[in-house]
Amino acid sequence: MRIVVSAGPTREFVDPVRFLSNRSSGKMGYAVAQAAVEAGHETVLVSGPVSIPAPRGLAAFVPVVSARDMLAALRKAVKGADALVMAAAVADFRPARACRRKIHKGEMPGAIALKPNPDILAALSRGKGRRVFVGFAAETERAEAGAAAKLRRKKLDLIVANDVTRPGAGFEVDTNIATFVRPDGSTETLPLMSKAELARKIVAQVEALAGV
Ligand code: C5P
């Protein structure tokens, strides 16, 4: 299969030296890309800025910065692909205006006006066809409840939901505690495991959903 994986945060610039972003380390998405390579799939990794090395054996590595860059890169990457695993932590908002020069201390605005970024999964799922789409739902409470609504709205085949406030789950750590949420409403809660192990389970789900 040709599998596209997105990973990492996006950066949304306020001026050339400042940006809005989030805590994503890229570890979960990179683990999925690595598991896909190891399972013999042609794997494309589209990644926001992270400080970890890309897995070896990728068919392509596409670095991006902003959510809009990521949307453009993924539009191209999913064209010939069988599946998209969207593990990136896309910034939901960007500054309404990015200043072209550094804003000096004395002229700091009291507030930064924001506007919403495109929802990448929702945008891509319009032309989804028979491709398998997997999303993530990182919540700070009742992860499964939010995940079911997300799954319908973004027309996903599977959501990997996790409560990022639980010890051993979420950002920066090497382990995760996830629940698979499916379109029929069924859920499967997995125990604490390494992101590498969870990644292998996600790739196995993608294979099963694609009928491989
Ligand atoms: O709605 P929420 O951001 O919690 O959904 C998470 C899922 O949607 C993740 O798979 C994330 O990569 C994706 N997402 C997206 N575009 C956005 C925000 C999130 O594709 N602007």
Side-chain angles (χ1 to χ4, degrees):
M1 293 175 70
R2 188 174 173 86
I3 301 183
V4 179
V5 181
S6 74
T10 65
R11 287 182 182 172
E12 313 298 328
F13 279 85
V14 176
D15 72 14
V17 299
R18 304 183 181 97
F19 55 82
L20 303 176
S21 194
N22 60 62
R23 285 179 59 192
S24 172
S25 63
K27 282 181 176 171
M28 191 64 243
Y30 277 51
V32 173
Q34 178 155 4
V37 169
E38 282 167 8
H41 301 296
E42 200 181 306
T43 306
V44 175
L45 176 58
V46 175
S47 176
V50 297
S51 56
I52 55 175
R56 297 162 74 106
L58 293 170
F61 176 77
V62 187
V64 296
V65 178
S66 69
R68 288 179 295 170
D69 295 342
M70 186 172 277
L71 173 58
L74 285 173
R75 264 197 211 291
K76 283 196 196 129
V78 297
K79 267 186 190 143
D82 304 295
L84 168 64
V85 180
M86 186 79 197
V90 184
D92 291 315
F93 302 98
R94 67 176 184 273
R97 273 184 319 276
C99 192
R100 253 182 276 158
R101 57 168 186 84
K102 184 179 174 186
I103 303 169
H104 296 295
K105 251 182 243 167
E107 54 184 30
M108 274 294 163
I112 298 171
L114 300 175
K115 63 179 183 193
N117 267 333
D119 187 309
I120 296 176
L121 272 179
L124 296 178
S125 68
R126 279 179 218 128
K128 175 176 179 290
R130 292 162 63 88
R131 288 184 206 107
V132 172
F133 276 19
V134 177
F136 279 71
E139 303 284 350
T140 53
E141 55 192 334
R142 300 202 320 122
E144 289 90 320
K150 227 161 264 182
L151 191 140
R152 283 190 296 274
R153 193 173 68 245
K154 305 191 190 204
K155 295 205 207 101
L156 305 178
D157 301 287
L158 179 73
I159 275 209
V160 184
N162 59 340
D163 178 342
V164 294
T165 64
R166 288 177 66 186
F171 299 114
E172 290 145 10
V173 295
D174 290 318
T175 54
N176 214 343
I177 307 167
T179 299
F180 288 155
V181 182
R182 299 200 167 76
D184 65 4
S186 66
T187 62
E188 180 187 344
T189 298
L190 305 169
L192 175 83
M193 61 182 72
S194 68
K195 285 184 176 173
E197 201 178 340
L198 177 58
R200 287 192 285 272
K201 290 192 185 297
I202 292 168
V203 170
Q205 292 289 320
V206 169
E207 290 166 350
L209 285 161
V212 173

